Amino acid sequence: MERISALELLSKFDPELIDLTQKETERQRTTINLIASENCVSPLVACLEGSIWANKNSEGYPGRRYVAGCELADKVENLAIDRLKELFQCEHANVQSMSATVGNVAILNAVLKPGDTILSMELSHGGHLSHGAPFHYSGKMFNVVHYGVARETEKIDLGQVRKLAQQHQPKMIICGTSSYPRLIDFAAFGEIAKSVGALLFVDLAHNIGLVAAGVIPSPVPYADIVSSSTHKTFRGPRGGGIILCRQELAGKIDRAVFPGLQGASKLDMIAARAVLFKECMTAEYKRYGKQVLVNAKALADGCLNQGMRLVAGGTDTHLVVVDVTKLVPSGKEAEAVLESVGIIANKNPIPFDALPPNTCSGVRMGSPFLTTRGMKEKEMYLIGTLVGKALHNYQDSPALAEIREQLLGLAVRYPLFAAEWLPQKA
Ligand SMILES: *Cc1c(COP(=O)(O)O)cnc(C)c1O
């Protein structure tokens, strides 16, 4: 009730902000969102994000706080930690970092010294900026060597990983990607890391929801440290990272997050994630994970049907990267054409891209958001086909207008969060 009356007051006091919020709600409902790193939280998560917990300072860790009145805060943070440990069968979990990128910096600081060597995936082949990009803290502080995908298969070249590991003797090997559509062989990475005495750090930001749902393999048995965001396939609140690690690294990791990098954490976000972790243990969530995979494949098939080339030959996950240069001049052009018909996706470099990063040759598309809305393979295949048709007809305004109408009709039939994913046993 309090929230409803606050909303009424807000609409009188700040009509500008309410107007923008309503328009954004409309935008999300009327467009086909294929951004692979976006999702829509459940009403349970939304209820706790921005809740009363946001008022509480809980600097420190459960049982070791720097402020009083934390008895309940301790219980909330411990709930989040215990559920995460159960969900991923890991020894230790930290839930305080303010973003996955900050969490990654904490991990590097925890176990490396400045100048140490890291072996990680090339950004343009699907890696992440926090894995040693020259413009990021990680690239400035550490000596970074990159592996990538093989030119012919566009899949991770494990032979190259092994060779570079032997040659450079890194202290840490990083795997985990932002735009790589295939599964990563964590066991092989673990074996290579062990053979050169390196730590294996897996950044699971994109795929973690699929691991939580049990539909793709977990890196936990092979990795020393695993990090993730919670707002991508996981379907939790945006902002905030999690770190999982072996018990012997727990103290170092915790100290590197707080006080090494951050002050007080954000308890409302921790509470919102605690309920997410409980959702992840339900049959509905497992079904959601399966549907995300099936939907990504259907989307890929639709694209293939229109003569588009799939990077790495297809997908094992929630995302597809297509080379669009047979149909339009660049990924940048494709992104704009797609937005004009109501499809939201992002341009993305492809491995060994002939075009510069700001135009690039690819588009990345993912299924998590539309799956949350309740779309199934039939709709995803149709959407893949319409992506192709829009690109084929990129200079034909009447054809594009027709596609826009068809997609609008599809989008408005679905809620943002389909009731079928809500926990049924409450
Ligand atoms: C998205 C992503 C991150 C960053 O997550 P933020 O919460 O936005 O900081 C880190 N690593 C990988 C591989 C990602 O895809």
Side-chain angles (χ1 to χ4, degrees):
M1 282 314 284
E2 249 178 345
R3 288 202 160 202
I4 293 168
S5 60
L7 198 62
E8 275 167 14
L9 182 60
L10 188 61
S11 59
K12 288 196 190 105
F13 175 71
D14 200 341
E16 218 178 342
L17 198 52
I18 285 294
D19 181 53
L20 289 171
T21 307
Q22 280 168 346
K23 284 185 174 138
E24 176 61 12
T25 308
E26 197 60 17
R27 189 192 68 81
Q28 291 188 21
R29 287 207 176 123
T30 56
T31 50
I32 297 292
N33 186 359
L34 293 177
I35 304 280
S37 54
E38 290 182 12
N39 211 328
C40 178
V41 298
S42 75
L44 311 177
V45 169
C47 184
L48 285 160
E49 181 89 25
S51 68
I52 196 85
W53 294 110
N55 298 340
K56 183 70 194 111
N57 180 348
S58 58
E59 199 168 359
Y61 286 103
R64 293 169 283 147
R65 304 290 191 186
Y66 291 80
V67 290
C70 283
E71 196 184 326
L72 299 171
D74 281 7
K75 288 188 174 159
V76 164
E77 187 163 343
N78 280 330
L79 258 188
I81 291 169
D82 291 343
R83 287 175 182 175
L84 209 46
K85 282 161 69 177
E86 188 187 335
L87 192 57
F88 294 102
Q89 295 293 300
C90 63
E91 292 175 10
H92 179 74
N94 182 301
V95 295
Q96 291 202 357
S97 67
M98 294 291 194
S99 82
T101 303
V102 168
N104 287 356
V105 169
I107 289 167
L108 302 178
N109 287 344
V111 295
L112 301 177
K113 286 194 276 306
D116 278 354
T117 299
I118 310 174
L119 176 59
S120 68
M121 183 135 160
E122 179 77 47
L123 184 59
S124 64
H125 289 199
H128 190 258
L129 60 96
S130 61
H131 303 175
F135 51 81
H136 186 258
Y137 171 89
S138 53
K140 296 187 207 288
M141 289 303 284
F142 303 101
N143 174 40
V144 184
V145 180
H146 285 313
Y147 62 86
V149 300
R151 207 176 262 274
E152 323 76 63
T153 59
E154 296 176 308
K155 293 180 186 170
I156 291 174
D157 185 346
L158 283 168
Q160 186 197 30
V161 176
R162 186 182 301 278
K163 213 169 86 193
L164 290 172
Q166 280 162 0
Q167 190 181 337
H168 296 278
Q169 298 289 312
K171 287 265 164 54
M172 173 186 274
I173 298 180
I174 309 180
C175 63
T177 53
S178 297
S179 57
Y180 181 68
R182 292 303 193 176
L183 293 180
I184 295 172
D185 186 345
F186 299 124
F189 268 98
E191 188 264 307
I192 294 170
K194 207 167 255 164
S195 76
V196 296
L199 290 166
L200 179 64
F201 161 28
V202 177
D203 180 345
L204 208 53
H206 256 268
N207 298 356
I208 191 162
L210 303 174
V211 173
V215 297
I216 66 168
S218 169
V220 169
Y222 311 104
D224 297 287
I225 308 166
V226 174
S227 79
S228 183
S229 59
T230 55
H231 60 268
K232 299 178 183 174
T233 52
F234 222 171
R235 217 180 60 197
R238 180 166 287 277
I242 58 166
I243 303 171
L244 316 176
C245 68
R246 290 190 288 107
Q247 191 57 43
E248 63 192 90
L249 295 172
K252 279 185 181 171
I253 292 287
D254 284 352
R255 282 192 299 277
V257 175
F258 172 86
L261 209 49
Q262 291 186 174
S265 61
K266 205 169 169 301
L267 259 185
D268 59 324
M269 180 258 288
I270 291 172
R273 293 193 296 181
V275 77
L276 165 73
F277 304 150
K278 189 160 182 171
E279 277 185 60
C280 291
M281 296 169 190
T282 64
E284 289 74 27
Y285 190 86
K286 289 179 177 43
R287 266 203 301 113
Y288 169 73
K290 269 189 205 140
Q291 193 65 49
V292 167
L293 284 190
V294 170
N295 280 357
K297 285 211 167 61
L299 178 69
D301 286 345
C303 293
L304 212 51
N305 160 281
Q306 289 293 309
M308 278 185 279
R309 192 181 77 78
L310 305 179
V311 169
T315 177
D316 306 316
T317 63
H318 62 297
L319 70 85
V320 189
V321 181
V322 292
D323 177 352
V324 293
T325 51
K326 273 194 211 145
L327 310 186
V328 289
S330 71
K332 188 179 175 196
E333 202 111 12
E335 181 184 300
V337 171
L338 292 176
E339 186 161 12
S340 79
V341 298
I343 294 174
I344 312 300
N346 59 282
K347 66 174 189 282
N348 206 91
I350 62 172
F352 311 103
D353 207 317
L355 297 174
N358 56 339
T359 47
C360 64
S361 300
V363 171
R364 184 186 71 165
M365 297 181 278
S367 61
F369 197 101
L370 294 181
T371 308
T372 298
R373 294 191 69 178
M375 291 192 192
K376 300 289 181 321
E377 356 5 341
K378 185 164 150 266
E379 291 77 32
M380 297 304 289
Y381 182 85
L382 173 66
I383 290 165
T385 314
L386 292 174
V387 164
K389 289 200 165 132
L391 297 184
H392 275 295
N393 293 295
Y394 79 104
Q395 286 167 320
D396 181 346
S397 307
L400 292 179
E402 215 168 279
I403 295 169
R404 169 81 189 113
E405 275 309 298
Q406 195 177 347
L407 288 168
L408 180 64
L410 181 65
V412 296
R413 292 214 314 270
Y414 292 83
L416 284 178
F417 192 97
E420 67 183 299
W421 308 132
L422 288 174
Q424 303 301 316
K425 273 193 224 144

